[in-house]
């Protein structure tokens, strides 16, 4: 296995390498991939099986349904990766991991890349996870068929933060979670649609008032829809850069 060395590299350890790039080959991510802004490598875990049937899983000790990925096979795949790319943080995508948030995405996007270990079936033998100590990350409190869809989502979130991928970089600073809040509502033409009008403040050209309105809408939406985020937001120290003062009449 040979890895390229662009500014940011994603390596996916998976039983289904044909699932990649998938949607990552389209739109902004796909354009950046073709331009060499980032690179994608896949490692087929099955190629590290040593028996004639290329077995990668076995029945769980203690009984129970399903199959478990074997530690010797997964260990060989990780070991091969580590020998070639020791600088990449290893992430295991699993429902039992800590919930992925924007701060984690920013941290990964600012580094050399990420190696993503995708589980399947009932999971991976705990011993190999103990041996390599990957950072365990979850997209949320639900279960997917495997780690591949989660890997695609995490990679996409990182790619769009890379320099030059998103055209209007200012938009990155106004999205959901960037300031601990959900994003404010957005509107475009036509001005009236199905008897619904664009809020008058957005047509005023008064930038300070528009900014204050957007912050108020973001706060109201976060408070109503994500009480957990709202509580965390209220605990944050308010810095001058985040505080939006109400505009005065003479502004």
């Amino acid at each position: 296995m040979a890895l390229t060395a662009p500014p940011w590299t994603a390596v996916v350890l998976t039983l289904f390498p044909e699932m990649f790039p998938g949607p990552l080959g389209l739109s902004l991510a796909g354009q950046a991939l073709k331009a060499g802004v980032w690179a994608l490598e896949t490692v087929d875990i099955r190629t590290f099986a040593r028996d004639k049937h290329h077995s990668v899983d076995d029945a769980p000790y203690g009984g129970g349904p399903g199959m478990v990925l074997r530690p010797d096979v997964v260990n060989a795949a990780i070991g091969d990766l580590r020998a070639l790319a020791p600088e990449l943080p290893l992430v295991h995508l699993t429902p039992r991991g800590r919930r992925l948030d924007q701060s984690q995405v920013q941290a990964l996007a600012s580094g050399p890349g990420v190696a993503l270990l995708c589980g399947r079936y009932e999971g991976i033998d705990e011993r190999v996870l103990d041996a390599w100590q990957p950072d365990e990350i979850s997209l949320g409190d639900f279960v997917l068929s495997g780690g591949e869809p989660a890997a695609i989502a995490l990679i996409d979130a990182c790619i769009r933060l890379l320099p030059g991928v998103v055209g209007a970089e200012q938009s990155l600073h106004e999205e959901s979670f960037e300031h601990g809040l959900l994003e404010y509502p957005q509107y475009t033409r036509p001005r009236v649609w199905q008897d619904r009008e664009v809020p008058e403040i957005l047509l005023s050209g008064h930038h300070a008032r528009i900014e204050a309105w957007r912050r108020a809408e973001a706060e109201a939406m976060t408070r109503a829809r994500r009480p957990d985020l709202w509580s965390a937001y209220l605990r944050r120290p308010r810095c001058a850069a985040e505080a939006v003062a109400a505009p005065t009449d003479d502004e």
Side-chain angles (χ1 to χ4, degrees):
M1 180 182 63
L3 298 181
T4 55
W8 199 88
T9 301
V11 182
V12 185
L13 291 84
T14 173
L15 290 176
F16 299 98
E18 61 272 18
M19 293 181 70
F20 297 87
L24 296 173
L26 305 173
S27 189
L28 293 177
Q31 294 170 20
L33 182 61
K34 292 176 183 177
V37 176
W38 70 287
L40 174 67
E41 304 283 350
T42 57
V43 176
D44 187 349
I45 296 174
R46 193 174 299 277
T47 62
F48 294 89
R50 295 294 176 250
D51 66 310
K52 65 179 181 179
H53 300 294
H54 298 288
S55 301
V56 297
D57 57 350
D58 210 327
Y61 280 117
M67 305 290 277
V68 177
L69 289 179
R70 293 169 54 112
D72 53 339
V73 177
V74 176
N75 180 72
I78 297 175
D80 189 68
L81 164 70
R82 272 289 168 257
L84 293 170
E87 74 283 1
L88 296 184
L90 179 62
V91 171
H92 174 215
L93 295 155
T94 169
R96 73 180 191 183
R98 59 188 176 121
R99 183 85 62 89
L100 180 67
D101 59 27
Q102 191 66 10
S103 64
Q104 292 172 267
V105 171
Q106 290 169 337
L108 289 172
S110 66
V114 64
L116 299 169
L117 175 60
C118 299
R120 276 276 160 175
Y121 316 127
E122 294 304 309
I124 298 172
D125 188 297
E126 190 70 18
R127 291 169 294 179
V128 74
L129 299 176
D130 289 341
W132 289 101
Q133 292 292 302
D135 186 7
E136 295 196 315
I137 289 179
S138 169
L139 291 193
D141 298 335
F142 54 90
V143 179
L144 298 169
S145 298
E148 290 81 8
I152 290 172
L154 189 153
I155 293 170
D156 182 83
C158 291
I159 293 167
R160 59 192 314 280
L161 297 183
L162 301 179
V165 175
V166 175
E169 293 192 12
Q170 177 61 27
S171 66
L172 295 176
H173 302 292
E174 297 182 2
E175 295 177 323
S176 292
F177 313 117
E178 281 300 314
H179 300 286
L181 296 170
L182 300 180
E183 190 175 7
Y184 50 79
Q186 298 279 10
Y187 299 87
T188 188
R189 296 178 182 179
R191 180 172 174 176
V192 179
W193 177 77
Q194 293 189 354
D195 296 326
R196 294 175 171 86
E197 296 190 18
V198 173
E200 194 67 30
I201 184 65
L202 299 180
L203 309 174
S204 68
H206 196 298
H207 298 298
R209 291 187 181 278
I210 290 173
E211 187 177 2
W213 179 87
R214 284 173 168 169
R215 173 56 67 95
E217 288 291 311
E219 290 179 345
M221 189 168 293
T222 304
R223 185 169 59 247
R225 299 187 180 186
R226 290 290 303 273
D228 56 327
L229 285 180
W230 180 247
S231 295
Y233 174 73
L234 293 178
R235 293 193 297 268
R236 292 177 56 176
R238 300 297 182 89
C239 63
E242 286 188 318
V244 179
T248 60
D249 291 337
D250 58 353
E251 286 183 320

